[in-house]
Amino acid sequence: MTQKIKDTIVKGVVYLATGITLCVLLFIIGFIFIKGIGLINWNFISRDYNDTTFYAFVQESNSPTTLDEKVQENKSDYDKKYETPLEAPVYVESIGAEITKVLYKNYTTEKEQFIISYISKGSPLLSAVNSNGTSIDVSTDFVLESVNGNEFTGMSTEEVKTLINDQSGELKIKMVEPGGGIRSNIITTLYMILLSLVVALPIGIFGAIYLTEYAKPGKIVNAIRFAAECLAGIPSIIFGLFGMAFFVVALNFQISLLSGSLTVAIILLPVIIRSTEEALKTVPIAFREGSLALGATKLQTIFKIILPCAVPGIATAVLLSIGRVIGESAALLLTAGTVAQIPGTLFSPGSTLTVQAYYVTKEEGNIEMACAIGIVIIVIVIILNILSRIASDKLNVFNKE
Amino acid sequence: MDNKVKFNTKNLDLFYGDFQALKSINMEICENEVTAFIGPSGCGKSTFLRCLNRMNDLIDCVDIKGEIIFDGKDINGDIDVINLRTRVGMVFQKPNPFPMSIYDNIAYGPKCQGLKDKAKLDTIVKDSLERAALWDEVKDRLNKSALGLSGGQQQRLCIARTIAMNPEVILMDEPTSALDPIATLKIEDLMQSLKKLYTIIIVTHSMQQAGRISDKTAFFLMGEVIEFNETPKIFTNPDDKRTEDYITGRFG
Ligand SMILES: Nc1ncnc2c1ncn2[C@@H]1O[C@H](COP(=O)(O)OP(=O)(O)OP(=O)(O)O)[C@@H](O)[C@H]1O
Ligand SMILES: [Mg+2]
């Protein structure tokens, strides 16, 4: 009887613990999704974080396009989030678009601007090109600043309309593509993953090969293993400090993609060494014996038999590493910086998605954007998971028919 | 039979750490014969066999004393181990085909020796599989994984793989213990045909098998060779009482 009660209690505790874990998980993910999903759209992913200013060359339309009444009703698809209309929208025939004067504010600035609020079907804006002749995707929320050198500041919407309509021939319009996107962060993250893996994977794999295949078991091997385990347990801010002192300052790599990826590579090493070692150890001794008995050298045995068998394990290591790079913030904050730009060279700074999430939360209090970044990260992780599973299935020598 | 001596061991002792697994073994193994090792479990048959192509190098705490002369040279002395293993091949108790295609399994050894010529490799693969009596069964699936073969086919593949190196000696450690009687018979037939070309040394737990296929038989007990003689003599009229007991099943 008492045994039964004990069982029930233990069972209850187990269920409770599972339930709490699940609830917390669901709550977090739910929170992130609800908070962030509103921001997720193609612009969020494809645009830079900072505003981009450029000149668009537009051929003034000869037969002025008229406003498409039907569409005008639901033309409000521009991002109203940071904008309050100041004057009624006005249709400018010569560029086939409607402009609105708005008070534009984001977390840092607040100013009066003219934005494109609607583009009609035959609008010449749709075939706009930049100074290099490449076409531009003008869309409804771009800011107009000047036409043929005449600034719009201080004008009313009607004045701007007249000004634009008075121009003839090719119009040179200064436009601003609003920022707020994370394209640069996505690209920086991919660079960071690639670079750190390029550095850490070979070193880690060769290290693991040395430890399992060559090193005589003894003090030195144990010391190396112990060191690797310790490295795995050290908080990443310590690596960040080291990377800052060594790569950034001592080697003068600056706060850059290179410093960041080298620092992360060090963080990845223990992960890669450990999982590769595990993978190598599970390769049956019969394969080694079979290979050596055929007159293969040790090196041939390792590269032709043992490593191919260990590929699924190594794929796991790669996956773990990618997760680690994506999740890394403290170390990268110190070594790769918080500049939301696509690093032009190895020596330019750039912020990964996670760092950007930290940055917008901390510096701008923009939790919404942080959550949206969170969603993107979750999606990337899921995709990578699936990809690596497919890859390791495809590469698994034991699966082949 | 007056065949040339291939292996000659002199006072061979082998220690696993403190444990002496082989005690002063003196044995002459002749060319183009099948030599069988029999004896109870743990008596050192595998250990001795593995000495002959230095597979014991893989084990850390092994200490070997005495000489193993192979074609006039001590193989524990200053010789090329890789070369030795290409001349003395080995088939293991459990079939261990590599997780790659049938073709690649056979081509593996020659490729490791630096052979790249596709045409030559093709001939080697075909020849070896034919000599291992496996060609007809696998000729349509050479590029399929070797792991898809049955146990008996896998073991013949391992033999083919060894033959592909064109060795002088083939060591076999209980090659049929994991196989059914039909597969076993196939491999025994195979050994009979291979013996014209190679020297075969086989460890077996089956008296019948030793009797059927071997020319000479060595009886091992507790790390010693109790008796080594022509197979018919061992099975009909052994010199040592212990051999007789073991063969008639009265042992222990
Ligand atoms: N790697 C090893 N380390 C320590 N002792 C070993 C090792 N391998 C074998 N031995 C010991 O050496 C002795 C001989 O082993 P061996 O494998 O040669 O026996 P065997 O005659 O082949 O037996 P079986 O018929 O069961 O295969 C056994 O007592 C075994 O415990
Ligand atoms: Mg054995």
Side-chain angles (χ1 to χ4, degrees):
Chain A
M1 194 60 211
T2 46
Q3 189 59 40
K4 224 175 183 178
I5 295 173
K6 263 191 208 159
D7 280 0
T8 327
I9 292 177
V10 171
K11 230 184 201 171
V13 170
V14 170
Y15 285 158
L16 195 69
T18 320
I20 291 178
T21 320
L22 259 179
C23 285
V24 170
L25 260 179
L26 283 179
F27 179 75
I28 293 176
I29 294 182
F31 174 80
I32 289 178
F33 266 87
I34 292 167
K35 270 264 173 190
I37 202 77
L39 262 189
I40 301 268
N41 54 32
W42 180 244
N43 285 345
F44 181 67
I45 291 172
S46 65
R47 284 186 176 171
D48 274 342
Y49 181 63
N50 298 313
D51 298 349
T52 342
T53 308
F54 56 88
Y55 287 98
F57 295 87
V58 179
Q59 203 60 47
E60 189 202 8
S61 92
N62 295 327
S63 52
T65 44
T66 44
L67 195 50
D68 184 345
E69 291 296 336
K70 221 171 157 195
V71 193
Q72 201 193 6
E73 291 310 306
N74 40 18
K75 65 184 158 43
S76 56
D77 60 338
Y78 68 97
D79 189 2
K80 284 218 194 74
K81 205 151 294 151
Y82 307 132
E83 293 149 8
T84 335
L86 297 173
E87 292 170 21
V90 169
Y91 188 71
V92 185
E93 289 85 1
S94 68
I95 55 171
E98 181 195 75
I99 57 172
T100 312
K101 186 173 188 178
V102 297
L103 183 67
Y104 176 88
K105 58 169 181 261
N106 64 15
Y107 285 85
T108 47
T109 52
E110 184 176 320
K111 55 187 173 190
E112 287 179 9
Q113 281 173 327
F114 294 96
I115 63 161
I116 303 176
S117 49
Y118 169 71
I119 302 177
S120 69
K121 268 199 203 105
S123 166
L125 283 180
L126 295 175
S127 49
V129 292
N130 68 9
S131 50
N132 300 329
T134 24
S135 66
I136 308 171
D137 247 349
V138 177
S139 74
T140 57
D141 71 346
F142 278 34
V143 179
L144 301 183
E145 295 205 326
S146 75
V147 59
N148 291 350
N150 306 308
E151 294 285 337
F152 297 152
T153 19
M155 291 185 176
S156 71
T157 323
E158 281 302 330
E159 283 167 340
V160 171
K161 171 182 172 172
T162 329
L163 179 59
I164 296 178
N165 279 343
D166 283 351
Q167 311 292 322
S168 60
E170 196 181 50
L171 307 177
K172 182 184 172 197
I173 304 177
K174 188 176 176 192
M175 290 189 193
V176 177
E177 181 190 82
I182 54 167
R183 181 171 69 126
S184 60
N185 306 111
I186 293 179
I187 293 178
T188 308
T189 307
L190 294 181
Y191 279 166
M192 199 64 83
I193 291 171
L194 210 76
L195 274 176
S196 51
L197 280 181
V198 161
V199 176
L201 255 192
I203 300 181
I205 291 178
F206 282 111
I209 290 179
Y210 172 77
L211 285 178
T212 42
E213 307 293 330
Y214 285 98
K216 290 255 172 295
K219 280 205 178 110
I220 299 177
V221 173
N222 287 343
I224 296 176
R225 231 170 244 145
F226 181 70
E229 310 251 301
C230 285
L231 278 184
I234 291 175
S236 58
I237 185 76
I238 308 278
F239 289 101
L241 290 172
F242 166 78
M244 178 110 187
F246 187 67
F247 297 123
V248 177
V249 178
L251 295 183
N252 200 17
F253 288 166
Q254 312 297 345
I255 291 203
S256 64
L257 191 59
L258 185 64
S259 303
S261 52
L262 289 177
T263 309
V264 176
I266 298 179
I267 298 177
L268 296 185
L269 265 184
V271 181
I272 295 177
I273 290 184
R274 225 199 287 173
S275 23
T276 309
E277 244 193 304
E278 291 306 316
L280 292 175
K281 274 188 203 150
T282 55
V283 179
I285 183 119
F287 289 163
R288 294 158 208 261
E289 287 188 335
S291 170
L292 292 173
L294 286 169
T297 62
K298 189 162 183 173
L299 209 62
Q300 286 167 333
T301 307
I302 290 173
F303 279 96
K304 293 187 179 179
I305 306 286
I306 298 178
L307 267 186
C309 291
V311 160
I314 295 174
T316 313
V318 170
L319 180 71
L320 286 175
S321 308
I322 293 178
R324 204 59 214 262
V325 181
I326 294 179
E328 191 52 67
S329 56
L332 287 176
L333 214 55
L334 293 179
T335 53
T338 55
V339 187
Q341 63 169 30
I342 298 172
T345 67
L346 282 179
F347 296 99
S348 356
S351 63
T352 62
L353 286 168
T354 318
V355 172
Q356 180 72 0
Y358 164 84
Y359 180 80
V360 295
T361 318
K362 178 85 195 330
E363 302 296 323
E364 301 180 351
N366 191 349
I367 297 200
E368 207 177 3
M369 180 163 177
C371 286
I373 294 177
I375 296 176
V376 173
I377 292 177
I378 291 174
V379 170
I380 291 182
V381 167
I382 291 174
I383 292 176
L384 285 174
N385 251 301
I386 295 170
L387 280 186
S388 86
R389 201 158 291 175
I390 294 173
S392 91
D393 258 15
K394 281 251 149 60
L395 294 172
N396 190 343
V397 284
F398 297 98
N399 278 348
K400 282 203 195 112
E401 249 314 293
Chain B
M1 267 193 260
D2 255 59
N3 284 330
K4 207 180 115 207
V5 174
K6 201 73 187 166
F7 271 110
N8 190 358
T9 69
K10 291 176 184 162
N11 296 321
L12 184 71
D13 290 322
L14 184 142
F15 299 85
Y16 288 116
D18 295 333
F19 173 74
Q20 185 167 9
L22 296 178
K23 293 167 192 160
S24 186
I25 301 215
N26 292 288
M27 195 185 295
E28 283 183 357
I29 294 167
C30 294
E31 214 166 30
N32 299 94
E33 285 184 355
V34 178
T35 306
F37 295 168
I38 58 172
S41 199
C43 64
K45 307 178 295 290
S46 299
T47 303
F48 181 64
L49 197 72
R50 291 164 61 92
C51 284
L52 301 180
N53 67 345
R54 288 200 32 192
M55 285 310 277
N56 286 326
D57 286 11
L58 301 189
I59 302 165
D60 283 324
C61 54
V62 173
D63 190 20
I64 298 176
K65 295 202 176 72
E67 289 178 1
I68 306 172
I69 312 290
F70 173 59
D71 272 357
K73 270 197 188 147
D74 184 357
I75 63 167
N76 286 317
D78 185 22
I79 58 120
D80 180 3
V81 186
I82 303 300
N83 180 266
L84 172 74
R85 289 189 187 139
T86 60
R87 294 168 65 192
V88 183
M90 187 162 205
V91 177
F92 298 84
Q93 174 171 1
K94 250 182 82 193
N96 58 347
F98 302 133
M100 41 173 99
S101 73
I102 295 172
Y103 183 98
D104 288 340
N105 260 280
I106 312 277
Y108 179 79
K111 271 188 188 163
C112 281
Q113 296 306 309
L115 183 64
K116 289 202 184 73
D117 188 339
K118 178 91 172 77
K120 274 188 193 153
L121 284 173
D122 286 349
T123 346
I124 291 180
V125 169
K126 183 159 189 279
D127 275 8
S128 318
L129 285 171
E130 270 171 353
R131 274 194 264 168
L134 193 60
W135 175 251
D136 289 333
E137 289 160 65
V138 301
K139 63 170 182 261
D140 299 324
R141 49 196 280 206
L142 288 178
N143 290 318
K144 296 270 165 67
S145 170
L147 301 182
L149 297 173
S150 76
Q153 289 172 326
Q154 288 189 359
Q155 193 62 303
R156 274 180 286 150
L157 179 71
C158 292
I159 294 174
R161 192 169 76 180
T162 308
I163 294 173
M165 296 303 295
N166 203 13
E168 296 158 39
V169 183
I170 300 178
L171 310 174
M172 298 186 176
D173 195 349
E174 301 180 43
T176 59
S177 65
L179 307 181
D180 71 84
I182 294 172
T184 302
L185 269 183
K186 273 195 180 149
I187 287 183
E188 285 180 9
D189 287 347
L190 185 58
M191 279 187 262
Q192 285 308 319
S193 63
L194 292 178
K195 124 183 170 180
K196 298 180 200 89
L197 297 164
Y198 312 101
T199 306
I200 295 177
I201 306 172
I202 177 173
V203 172
T204 177
H205 276 285
S206 152
M207 300 306 133
Q208 292 88 338
Q209 187 171 56
R212 278 196 299 267
I213 60 171
S214 69
D215 302 300
K216 289 197 182 133
T217 299
F219 173 58
F220 282 71
L221 189 61
M222 310 275 281
E224 284 176 274
V225 175
I226 303 298
E227 197 168 345
F228 177 47
N229 221 323
E230 304 283 336
T231 300
K233 165 107 170 99
I234 293 266
F235 279 92
T236 51
N237 183 22
D239 290 332
D240 198 291
K241 178 82 171 60
R242 287 169 293 181
T243 315
E244 190 179 342
D245 286 350
Y246 182 71
I247 283 161
T248 51
R250 261 177 287 151
F251 188 79

